[in-house]
Amino acid sequence: MSVTEPSTTPQSGEPSLKRAIGPKLLILFVIGDILGTGIYATTGKVAGKVGGALWLPFVIGFVVAILTAASYVELVGKYPRAAGAALYTQKAFKVPFITFIVAFMVMCSGLSSASAAARAFSGDYLSELTSDALPPTLIAITFILVLAALNLRGVSESVKTNVVLTIVELTGLVIILTIGAWAVMTGDGEPSRLTDFEASGTGYALITGVLGATALGFFAFVGFEDSVNMVEETKDPGRNFPRAIFLGVAITGTIYVLVALVSSLMVDHKTLSGSSGPLLEVVKAGGVDFPHKLFALIALFAVTNSALINIMMASRLCYGMANERILPREMGRVLAKRRTPVVGIIFVSILAIGLVSTGEIEGLGDTTAFLLLCVFAVVNVAVLVLRRDPVDHAHFRTPTVLPVLGAITALILASPLADRPADVYIRAGVLLAIGIALWAVNKVVMRTRGEEAD
């Protein structure tokens, strides 16, 4: 079977996914998808790159995110089906190999993000609660396995758990903002740090320093693109997705900038950069009598939420790609009783466990951002190409200038101008090599079955 024309139903004999997500649940899902590991764990690493002016990378990251979010909103309205960027790439360019690489990059970005969350779970936040922790790698692997089990139970259970965890992590960020407000009212903190740039020199060095911090900070914004893979499990997606994505990005972007301001106001950037639990440092320095252990527990819930959503999204991407025959059809098998993509969940969980040992929070987070920035560039171009493919139903249409700017900014942040460590490119290159090998295997399988691979 050719992959150039997507099918409109799941593979023969498999039940369809259950539409269990309403508009309010979807908004909370998008917010929970974006919030989490990025702001709770990488704020300090961003400070280490840019200094006290760590709010600036989050402002720039918000702009880049909203540009690309507009493209996703248009495309999910035109083509309300699971598979996200892979579907849009195939519709726009009709080159199966490119489609697979884009889909594989999206999947790997979710898995590297989940691995970063697993690493964050076993870091300073957990150390605040116990001094007798098990080896971090063992904790991270157990963490992934528990989330996979929850995901297998069903989308309703997973999304409801996401809602609870989203409320918890929002509470943690409200605590940080309250500490900041108290510091301003009492004259505590050091406002001069807000304009302190760590990057040495001026001109090119300053620009690359800010771009490098922005590229890493962009990890905090990824997630909204995952929600489009839930479109087949969402009620009235054409109506609900635009509001959910735009509100989700706007709310989280505002929170991020405010949290970055408070963090720099309260804690020196060198202290922040040396911690895998930077927001705990803010609580300790805030002069507010809030239990440190309780905040550490809240932070653990936050990174758990990030990992849960990424494992969920990667498994749905497997399901969508299998229905498009981009992956072997077995990847689209659904657990009959629970109606969850069982093979996809098992597959991505195994890969996530493998990635846990490939780097620390900063490297895995930067890998996630790099992979998605490349994908975002493709999606922004795709939305322009697909203007030549009208559909017979009404949908959101973004102003043309936004995807143009979105593609340009994504490419700049993915380029060497962002002063990214070499290990990030190496890790991404290895993942792409694995993807190419899988593509070759899939072609052989399809030919053996007498199906068309190109």
Side-chain angles (χ1 to χ4, degrees):
M1 175 180 176
S2 171
V3 299
T4 58
E5 290 299 329
S7 58
T8 57
T9 58
Q11 64 187 66
S12 177
E14 292 294 331
S16 62
L17 298 177
K18 182 179 179 181
R19 292 193 181 273
I21 306 174
K24 294 180 180 178
L25 200 58
L26 183 61
I27 291 173
L28 280 173
F29 184 86
V30 173
I31 292 173
D33 205 350
I34 301 173
L35 292 177
T37 305
I39 194 66
Y40 275 90
T42 61
T43 301
K45 306 306 179 185
V46 173
K49 285 179 173 287
V50 77
L54 67 97
W55 54 272
L56 181 59
F58 288 103
V59 171
I60 300 173
F62 169 71
V63 173
V64 176
I66 205 70
L67 292 173
T68 301
S71 293
Y72 270 97
V73 169
E74 176 171 337
L75 291 170
V76 78
K78 287 183 73 172
Y79 313 108
R81 300 183 50 217
L87 173 63
Y88 312 144
T89 302
Q90 181 60 36
K91 295 285 287 185
F93 306 110
K94 302 186 185 304
V95 180
F97 179 73
I98 296 177
T99 300
F100 179 79
I101 291 300
V102 167
F104 191 77
M105 290 176 76
V106 173
M107 179 190 298
C108 289
S109 72
L111 298 178
S112 61
S113 179
S115 298
R119 280 295 187 184
F121 188 90
S122 61
D124 289 345
Y125 291 123
L126 184 62
S127 297
E128 183 69 24
L129 297 176
T130 175
S131 58
D132 299 319
L134 294 171
T137 301
L138 179 59
I139 294 173
I141 291 173
T142 304
F143 178 78
I144 295 293
L145 291 174
V146 171
L147 295 184
L150 176 61
N151 199 356
L152 279 170
R153 282 196 54 82
V155 65
S156 180
E157 289 82 355
S158 297
V159 173
K160 287 176 182 177
T161 301
N162 163 254
V163 170
V164 174
L165 295 178
T166 296
I167 293 172
V168 171
E169 66 188 354
L170 276 171
T171 300
L173 297 178
V174 168
I175 291 168
I176 295 297
L177 297 182
T178 301
I179 289 173
W182 176 259
V184 171
M185 289 187 295
T186 59
D188 291 336
E190 185 53 61
S192 64
R193 284 198 289 258
L194 301 179
T195 56
D196 176 31
F197 287 91
E198 174 67 12
S200 59
T202 58
Y204 180 80
L206 182 60
I207 291 172
T208 56
V210 172
L211 288 177
T214 301
L216 176 58
F218 193 75
F219 172 51
F221 286 95
V222 301
F224 64 85
E225 79 288 344
D226 282 339
S227 64
V228 303
N229 291 308
M230 302 300 289
V231 65
E232 292 187 40
E233 294 167 274
T234 300
K235 302 172 184 176
D236 194 4
R239 180 186 182 93
N240 292 327
F241 261 93
R243 181 185 306 173
I245 291 181
F246 284 131
L247 275 177
V249 174
I251 290 170
T252 53
T254 300
I255 291 173
Y256 284 172
V257 173
L258 292 175
V259 169
L261 285 167
V262 171
S263 299
S264 183
L265 182 71
M266 300 305 302
V267 183
D268 178 80
H269 74 272
K270 293 182 179 178
T271 301
L272 289 172
S273 66
S275 174
S276 63
L279 298 191
L280 182 60
E281 301 297 332
V282 177
V283 173
K284 291 179 178 179
V288 177
D289 189 18
F290 189 87
H292 299 167
K293 291 184 182 297
L294 178 57
F295 186 84
L297 183 62
I298 291 172
L300 291 178
F301 281 132
V303 298
T304 298
N305 200 28
S306 293
L308 171 63
I309 293 174
N310 278 289
I311 293 292
M312 190 189 308
M313 292 309 99
S315 65
R316 268 59 182 185
L317 182 55
C318 278
Y319 170 85
M321 287 193 293
N323 286 328
E324 298 299 325
R325 299 297 189 268
I326 300 170
L327 284 178
R329 66 179 66 183
E330 287 78 7
M331 300 297 295
R333 292 196 181 280
V334 174
L335 195 63
K337 184 176 180 180
R338 306 303 306 183
R339 293 172 67 182
T340 52
V342 56
V343 177
I345 291 170
I346 294 172
F347 176 69
V348 301
S349 297
I350 291 172
L351 289 182
I353 290 171
L355 277 171
V356 161
S357 61
T358 67
E360 298 301 324
I361 296 170
E362 182 175 355
L364 291 169
D366 210 352
T367 301
T368 303
F370 170 72
L371 290 169
L372 281 180
L373 285 165
C374 293
V375 172
F376 287 174
V378 174
V379 170
N380 280 302
V381 174
V383 77
L384 298 173
V385 173
L386 289 171
R387 293 281 171 84
R388 300 177 297 184
D389 179 35
V391 293
D392 59 2
H393 61 271
H395 62 86
F396 173 85
R397 180 184 171 100
T398 183
T400 301
V401 67
L402 298 188
V404 172
L405 292 175
I408 293 171
T409 53
L411 286 173
I412 289 173
L413 290 178
S415 75
L417 285 174
D419 195 27
R420 185 174 283 106
D423 68 287
V424 173
Y425 293 109
I426 293 171
R427 184 179 295 109
V430 170
L431 290 172
L432 285 178
I434 292 172
I436 292 170
L438 287 175
W439 169 256
V441 169
N442 188 52
K443 286 185 67 175
V444 171
V445 171
M446 293 182 73
R447 286 175 179 173
T448 300
R449 291 173 173 170
E451 297 176 350
E452 189 176 328
D454 289 306

